[in-house]
Amino acid sequence: MNKSLLSIQNLKIAYKSNRQNDEKDINWAVNNVSFDLEKGEILALVGESGCGKSTIGKAIMGLLPAQTKIRGDIFFQGESIISYNYQQMRRFRGEAVGLVFQDPMTRLDPLMTIGEHCRETLKAHRPDLCYEEIKERVINTLELVKIPEKRVSQYPHEFSGGMRQRVAIALTLVLQPKLIIADEPTTSLDVTISNQILRELTTLCKEQEMGLILISHDLNMVGKYGDHIGVMYQGEMVETGTVKDVMGKPSHDYSKILLNSALHNQEKKESNLEIEKRKKISILKLKNLEKHYSLEVNFLEQLLGKKTEIIKAVDNINFELYEGEIFGLVGESGCGKSTLSRTILQLIKPTSGQVIFQEKDISILSPQSMLNVRREIQMIFQDPLACLNPLIPIGKAIAEPLIIHKLGNKTEIRSKVIQMLNKVGLCPPNDYLDRYPKELSGGQQQRVAIARALITNPKLVICDEPVSMLDATVQAQVLQLMLALKEEFKLTYLFITHDLSVARYMCDRIAVMNQGKIVELAITEEIFTNPQHSYTAQLINS
């Protein structure tokens, strides 16, 4: 009997389909996959969206739909788990195997504090622990992922996206499982936080002999933290080996394509503007812009003399954005990047300072007046599925800004939507008009989000982590699309990202944010070759 921590043998998985009466007609999402994982070993599963990576993770956790067809076997410490009943699987999940999801908000209850989440998890699986033992383990686990004790009583909405992902990882670690499955665990995190968390997670796995399966499209991360790599394509494991062998000398054609896509984004784009040599026509100016939040104290804290804490999310920001450039804004989660973008759009009002767009201070405009300005300032969000109404077909979603701004009759609007679908590469357009967001891949959803942002012919587009949730090959395609559309529509981009390789590839100038302030601003190559601030150097080293 195989005594590996985890052994997957000839695994085949197919989701329910009406065309499965004959075995030869079955469309296998996972097709004849085998691999072993030892204690303390880190295996990375990589490949494009839909290749079967996450399906394998769900199969190990027993989270596949009831009518899913499964062939082959999964052994955990020599025991088959395929035939586990409900009670056995309930104990197995969490106590033996923990899962870190990609989207932390699917795991967190908005009505529960972070501490309550951890305590509830421990109480469900470890009723033998007393209150003090639970409290100590919760605090220690949260500190492991860099969440201080003072934030235990806060709610998920009070955390940034990166901080919420730390909570999700803590919820897995708190039960001290023997195997962790991390499904895109750092997609929403900036580079320094990703490194910190993965360093802690991988170190912990080595020290406590926990196995770790990293499901990821980030080959840079895999190369740094994985021991072995399994490359998946269309449900099959097309290549396996050590990180050094696969990344150094890939043998399969698809592995080579995947590696080339990852390295492509690290190259500086040839069309970078030489800002210092061109005429500077300002499209946006920020003058002493600030956005502060108050962390109110409760009645008891008031009696104890505790004062209201002021959080300076955006602290005295000054810069100009020039027509036709791509201006990068980089920094860690919680540094104020997204708050700044929403303040520019006046989705949240600044505490003080000015936002001057095309020589007009828009920070003093009424909501009705601001509606006209938003036609010329659009935004592309990080998660396209979250910003698209699941009940509205693609054609109507793209047409909606035209209808709001009264930019044409029904026939004209339909024509513009079809033209824009062509522009973003969703061809033929008629095949997409009546489809819903859930029927598209992640890359197609982001193309729809781009089409929706550009349909009003804006002057400025704010791109908030527009490719961070996409795999390497699709990410490269979308970035190339954005560069082509920028030239065609003569756009200016404010490009917010935590991925420095993407920033280097895309941006003409970069501003580095830390704790609400811009600590350095320079032409892209100067930032990377001669950083002036210690924090910038830290980011680049990470």
Side-chain angles (χ1 to χ4, degrees), residues 94-96 122 126 137 141 170-180 204 208 210:
E95 296 175 38
L122 274 172
R126 293 294 307 275
R137 186 182 289 192
T141 305
L171 285 172
T172 301
L173 295 178
V174 77
L175 289 173
Q176 301 172 344
K178 297 173 182 174
L179 169 65
I180 294 176
L204 191 67
Q208 300 190 12
M210 289 190 295

Side-chain angles (χ1 to χ4, degrees), residues 7 15 45 94 106 109 173 192 206 235 245 253 274 285 310 324 350 358 374 436 440 450 452 476 487:
S7 181
Y15 293 101
L45 293 181
T106 61
D109 186 332
L173 295 178
T192 52
K206 296 289 186 183
D245 290 342
D253 288 343
E274 296 182 31
K285 293 181 184 178
I310 302 298
Q358 294 186 322
R374 288 204 183 103
Y436 289 86
L440 305 182
I450 292 170
R452 180 181 163 91
E487 295 303 314

Side-chain angles (χ1 to χ4, degrees), residues 107-274:
R107 179 87 187 269
L108 302 176
D109 186 332
L111 302 180
M112 291 174 59
T113 67
I114 300 308
E116 287 171 342
H117 277 91
C118 295
R119 287 193 291 271
E120 182 186 67
T121 301
L122 274 172
K123 288 177 182 177
H125 290 273
R126 293 294 307 275
D128 57 306
L129 296 178
C130 69
Y131 175 81
E132 289 300 325
E133 290 172 321
I134 289 176
K135 181 181 177 181
E136 182 181 3
R137 186 182 289 192
V138 167
I139 291 171
N140 290 341
T141 305
L142 289 172
E143 287 182 345
L144 185 66
V145 294
K146 310 301 182 187
I147 298 177
E149 184 178 352
K150 67 180 181 180
R151 303 202 67 177
V152 169
S153 59
Q154 289 185 285
Y155 291 86
H157 73 271
E158 297 178 278
F159 283 65
S160 67
M163 291 293 282
R164 287 196 290 261
Q165 189 61 288
R166 293 188 192 189
V167 174
I169 293 172
L171 285 172
T172 301
L173 295 178
V174 77
L175 289 173
Q176 301 172 344
K178 297 173 182 174
L179 169 65
I180 294 176
I181 301 171
D183 192 351
E184 301 283 7
T186 58
T187 295
S188 61
L189 305 183
D190 55 77
V191 62
T192 52
I193 300 302
S194 294
N195 273 292
Q196 290 171 11
I197 288 180
L198 287 171
R199 185 166 55 247
E200 294 289 349
L201 184 58
T202 52
T203 299
L204 191 67
C205 288
K206 296 289 186 183
E207 290 176 349
Q208 300 190 12
E209 294 191 317
M210 289 190 295
L212 176 62
I213 297 178
L214 276 176
I215 299 173
S216 178
H217 63 250
D218 188 339
L219 291 186
N220 295 321
M221 178 187 74
V222 165
K224 191 169 184 178
Y225 294 102
D227 297 322
H228 291 80
I229 292 181
V231 180
M232 294 197 64
Y233 180 64
Q234 295 184 347
E236 297 182 359
M237 189 81 79
V238 296
E239 185 167 358
T240 59
T242 65
V243 167
K244 183 179 179 180
D245 290 342
V246 174
M247 295 196 69
K249 195 175 181 180
S251 59
H252 195 276
D253 288 343
Y254 177 71
S255 302
K256 296 174 184 176
I257 292 171
L258 204 61
L259 189 61
N260 288 336
S261 297
L263 295 176
H264 173 72
N265 289 344
Q266 297 178 13
E267 301 170 2
K268 182 176 179 292
K269 68 183 178 69
E270 294 179 0
S271 59
N272 264 2
L273 299 172
E274 296 182 31

Side-chain angles (χ1 to χ4, degrees), residues 394 398 421-429 432 440 444 447-448:
I394 297 308
I398 297 173
L421 283 169
N422 267 315
K423 297 287 187 187
V424 299
L426 295 176
C427 305
Y432 292 91
L440 305 182
Q444 290 173 330
R447 288 172 186 263
V448 172

Side-chain angles (χ1 to χ4, degrees), residues 11 86 97 178 197 225 279 282 343 398 407 464 525 533:
L11 186 64
Y86 173 78
V97 179
K178 297 173 182 174
I197 288 180
Y225 294 102
K279 186 177 179 181
S282 176
T343 307
I398 297 173
L407 299 176
D464 192 356
E525 282 309 292
H533 196 277

